[in-house]
């Protein structure tokens, strides 16, 4: 069965420090992976997807099939990046499965 | 375009009762998915409807059911409510299947079971 693991419930970094939000997946096929973000008092929204290979708000994520990971990275954290981040995997039947989420707190 | 809307926004029910939640997708979107969000479990997939057919289902008991109408609006029903059903229920719509297209989320319905 497909599964997404986000090992950190909370990640706290200082403004300007690098950020890496971890995401590991379990799926035997070719996955479609996404990062969704929920800012305070806002709706959950798509941040990026691996297939588009875009950098959104300075965030990037590389699919590593060998390590079955899709970590989200940003070189310099900003206070407005504070939010809940969910990694998601689309597998058989295009069913979307989310990880438990990681709260990112950027301290000034 | 108007975003995804969910009604009601807040609901308080008693154990054993049933509840129906409603979701109106973005115009033109044919897929509607439902999720349960709790602090302990995160975001858990309930089911997805596409063109009035249930396409995918999560690991929830049969007390959780849903349907989609010809205008793509969707309803979710929970029967015989339990305390553990207290959660934020999110609906999301997309032009096509959820695993392929970007999902647009609604604000959620906060259900409290007492």
């Amino acid at each position: 069965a497909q599964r997404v693991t986000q090992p950190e419930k909370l990640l706290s970094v200082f403004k300007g420090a690098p950020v890496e939000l971890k995401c590991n997946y379990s799926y035997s096929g070719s996955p479609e992976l996404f990062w969704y973000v929920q800012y305070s008092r806002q709706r959950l929204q798509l941040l990026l997807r691996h297939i588009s290979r875009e950098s959104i708000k300075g965030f990037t994520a590389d699919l590593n099939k060998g390590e079955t990971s899709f970590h989200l990275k940003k070189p310099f954290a900003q206070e407005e990046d504070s939010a809940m981040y969910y990694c998601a995997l689309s597998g058989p039947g295009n069913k979307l499965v989310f990880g438990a989420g990681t709260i990112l707190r950027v301290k000034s | 375009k108007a975003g995804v809307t969910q009604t009601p926004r807040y609901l308080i029910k008693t154990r054993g009762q049933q509840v129906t939640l409603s979701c109106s997708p973005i115009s033109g979107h044919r897929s509607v998915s439902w999720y349960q969000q709790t602090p302990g479990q995160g975001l858990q997939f309930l089911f997805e409807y596409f063109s009035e057919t249930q396409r995918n289902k999560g690991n929830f008991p049969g007390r959780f059911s849903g349907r989609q109408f010809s205008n793509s609006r969707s309803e979710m029903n929970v029967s015989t409510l339990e305390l553990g059903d207290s959660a934020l229920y999110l609906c999301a719509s997309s032009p096509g299947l959820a695993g392929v297209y970007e999902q647009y989320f609604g604000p959620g319905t906060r259900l409290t079971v007492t």
Side-chain angles (χ1 to χ4, degrees):
Chain A
Q2 61 201 83
R3 184 178 294 174
V4 175
T5 303
Q6 293 180 253
E8 303 139 327
K9 285 196 170 183
L10 171 66
L11 182 65
S12 193
V13 301
F14 283 101
K15 178 182 167 183
V19 172
E20 183 179 54
L21 296 164
K22 291 185 166 47
C23 172
N24 290 93
Y25 66 89
S26 168
Y27 178 53
S28 55
S30 267
E32 271 277 348
L33 286 148
F34 307 79
W35 277 99
Y36 278 82
V37 61
Q38 189 167 27
Y39 300 102
S40 179
R41 290 184 290 278
Q42 291 189 29
R43 300 181 184 200
L44 194 60
Q45 59 187 287
L46 178 67
L47 180 63
L48 56 80
R49 55 191 302 177
H50 92 272
I51 198 169
S52 64
R53 296 184 178 278
E54 288 179 309
S55 171
I56 308 292
K57 299 185 178 183
F59 283 97
T60 58
D62 290 319
L63 175 60
N64 185 324
K65 290 187 178 180
E67 295 183 359
T68 58
S69 68
F70 188 56
H71 302 329
L72 184 67
K73 299 177 184 178
K74 185 170 183 176
F76 308 103
Q78 299 172 307
E79 288 180 74
E80 52 265 34
D81 296 328
S82 295
M84 170 73 95
Y85 291 80
Y86 289 98
C87 181
L89 164 72
S90 173
N94 300 116
K95 179 177 167 180
L96 200 59
V97 173
F98 284 80
T102 298
I103 298 170
L104 174 64
R105 285 212 187 110
V106 181
K107 300 176 286 189
S108 57
Chain B
K1 274 186 181 178
V4 176
T5 58
Q6 292 185 245
T7 56
R9 293 294 311 280
Y10 302 91
L11 209 46
I12 299 175
K13 290 286 188 178
T14 306
R15 267 183 304 175
Q17 288 186 314
Q18 76 163 20
V19 66
T20 299
L21 312 182
S22 181
C23 172
S24 292
I26 290 172
S27 177
H29 285 192
R30 296 169 65 189
S31 167
V32 173
S33 296
W34 288 90
Y35 298 88
Q36 182 193 67
Q37 187 177 34
T38 58
Q41 300 292 325
L43 205 61
Q44 290 190 287
F45 171 75
L46 279 155
F47 26 67
E48 178 186 7
Y49 286 88
F50 182 83
S51 294
E52 302 179 66
T53 302
Q54 188 180 88
R55 284 299 308 264
N56 280 304
K57 191 176 190 313
N59 297 323
F60 279 80
R63 301 186 295 107
F64 291 81
S65 62
R67 59 178 176 168
Q68 187 180 33
F69 302 96
S70 58
N71 61 359
S72 292
R73 191 177 69 84
S74 177
E75 286 183 347
M76 189 192 96
N77 185 275
V78 188
S79 63
T80 321
L81 284 165
E82 299 177 0
L83 294 179
D85 297 332
S86 294
L88 182 68
Y89 290 88
L90 293 173
C91 157
S93 76
S94 52
L97 292 175
V100 178
Y101 292 84
E102 175 178 354
Q103 289 205 280
Y104 294 82
F105 284 82
T109 294
R110 173 75 61 187
L111 171 65
T112 302
V113 183
T114 62

